[in-house]
Amino acid sequence: MPLLALGISHHTAPVGIRERAAINTPDYADRIRQVLAIGGVEEAIILGTCNRTEIYCVSSQPVEQELLNWLHSSHALPVGLLDSHFYRHVGEEAVRHLIRVAGGLDSLVLGEAQILGQIKEAWQISQATGGAGRVLNRLFQHTFSAAKSIRHNSGIGTHPISVAYTAVSLARQIFGELSSQNVVLIGAGEMIRLCGWHLREQGITRIEIVNRSLKAAQDLATDLGAVAGGLDTLHEVLPRADILISSTASPVAIITLAAVKSALKIRRHRPMFMVDIAVPRDVEPAVKQLNDVYLYTIDDLQQVVDENLQQRRIAAATAGADIELSVDTFMRWLHGIRASQSLERIRYQSHTHETVLIGKALKRLQAGQDPGQVLAELANALTNRILHEPTLRLRQAAEEQHYEIVKAADWLFSSDTERKNG
């Protein structure tokens, strides 16, 4: 019952190759059915993100090449194009890989948390499609628990490593609870959008967006539930800014020292937190000298990001023990399943012999034969029948010098006392 993880990621392929091998979430169900149709595949889960495409499966026979062939044909790709870019993990290595992925330890952005939700969605779709059976259900549920534990114990997610999130984190350090603060965002690009969403997640509801293009400001304001204005309104909104984040393409500073001094007077010198993530800078450098202003530039934020990334690397290194414990726990369960299948087969054979011999014994008792003799012969016959085939195979193993089988039999049938003394 091999467990296989077959995948391609940012570690093994450039974006152009990853795009050609991508499997999108709406396609999961159909693709899972196609994988399950491959001979030997018993369970399957497909995971696709912007940085990886992975197939996790349980099979009754080797299926790696069949899966690679299917990936090529289902994406209309030349045979063999993807072969050198895919990685393969079997058994314990597949478990270890999935736990690392779920914990954000294999991500392009080290420690990012979004991947865990994507894995949960992939598992849920596979469940609904019939792709996740006993083994993969147990593996993925175990992985969710392990990933949460790893993130909590290592603290890998506590150090923000995006500029936008770092800006909001610094604001929280200065103001504490942010929901009551007024925010002014200058610009309407992707960085400002990300800052806006992070601020909304902190409970901030009063956001004003100022931009040279009023239409772009209005579009972003609609998404964020904010108020929009043109750049000509900057002098009006500046005094309302407890938090100001600016990222424009202006070739010159648009927030002058004089404008900030004027705003501070109107604010009666209540502090302002300002983040200038534009290059060239949007805020005149002299503003940083004002007593009631906390001004951070892109260089300041990048330094924090770099320090936090180093902290995440340290945290990732400390997660190793938790990962190995989680892998070991799951593999014990998986090996237990394999043992239980063998035990079921042994019990079935034993009960078959038992049924036949009891039937014969009952007929002898009904015929009036001595009960003690019937029971003794029943026990002897049952023992002989159960041990007949194992005895023949053990003798054959010894004759063919398969001593590991003989050792296993010695261990299996020895008493606790013999094990201790041996």
Side-chain angles (χ1 to χ4, degrees), residues 160-179:
I161 55 175
S162 78
V163 169
Y165 193 87
T166 299
V168 176
S169 297
L170 288 171
R172 194 168 59 246
Q173 290 178 25
I174 291 171
F175 291 103
E177 197 272 328
L178 295 181
S179 61

Side-chain angles (χ1 to χ4, degrees), residues 238-239 258-269 272:
L238 193 58
V260 176
K261 284 183 176 180
S262 176
L264 286 172
K265 287 182 181 179
I266 297 172
R267 292 172 57 83
R268 297 184 179 179
H269 291 274
M272 299 175 70

Side-chain angles (χ1 to χ4, degrees), residues 292-311:
D292 300 307
V293 174
Y294 300 90
L295 173 61
Y296 290 84
T297 67
I298 186 65
D299 289 342
D300 297 326
L301 293 188
Q302 191 58 54
Q303 182 179 348
V304 175
V305 167
D306 291 343
E307 291 172 355
N308 286 348
L309 180 57
Q310 181 59 27
Q311 290 300 313

Side-chain angles (χ1 to χ4, degrees), residues 34-180:
Q34 292 172 21
V35 171
L36 290 174
I38 295 173
V41 176
E42 298 178 356
E43 303 180 34
I45 292 178
I46 290 174
L47 172 66
T49 72
C50 58
N51 288 317
R52 71 181 65 245
T53 297
E54 295 183 335
I55 302 171
Y56 295 86
C57 71
V58 175
S59 63
S60 58
Q61 62 190 49
V63 294
E64 178 185 317
Q65 191 57 53
E66 286 75 8
L67 285 172
L68 281 172
N69 292 342
W70 170 78
L71 278 162
H72 285 87
S73 63
S74 63
H75 289 77
L77 297 174
V79 175
L81 176 69
L82 303 174
D83 287 10
S84 63
H85 297 288
F86 268 82
Y87 43 84
R88 300 97 169 142
H89 300 299
V90 179
E92 182 176 316
E93 283 302 317
V95 177
R96 182 176 291 106
H97 174 74
L98 178 59
I99 292 174
R100 284 182 53 81
V101 170
L105 303 178
D106 194 66
S107 297
L108 180 63
V109 179
L110 181 64
E112 59 97 3
Q114 184 182 11
I115 185 66
L116 184 57
Q118 293 170 321
I119 294 174
K120 285 183 178 179
E121 184 178 19
W123 167 66
Q124 289 166 349
I125 293 173
S126 181
Q127 267 197 318
T129 310
R134 184 182 185 187
V135 174
L136 290 186
N137 273 328
R138 181 66 176 251
L139 171 60
F140 275 67
Q141 291 175 27
H142 177 75
T143 295
F144 301 148
S145 176
K148 289 180 181 177
S149 176
I150 288 167
R151 293 186 67 83
H152 177 267
N153 293 341
S154 69
I156 195 169
T158 60
H159 307 284
I161 55 175
S162 78
V163 169
Y165 193 87
T166 299
V168 176
S169 297
L170 288 171
R172 194 168 59 246
Q173 290 178 25
I174 291 171
F175 291 103
E177 197 272 328
L178 295 181
S179 61
S180 61

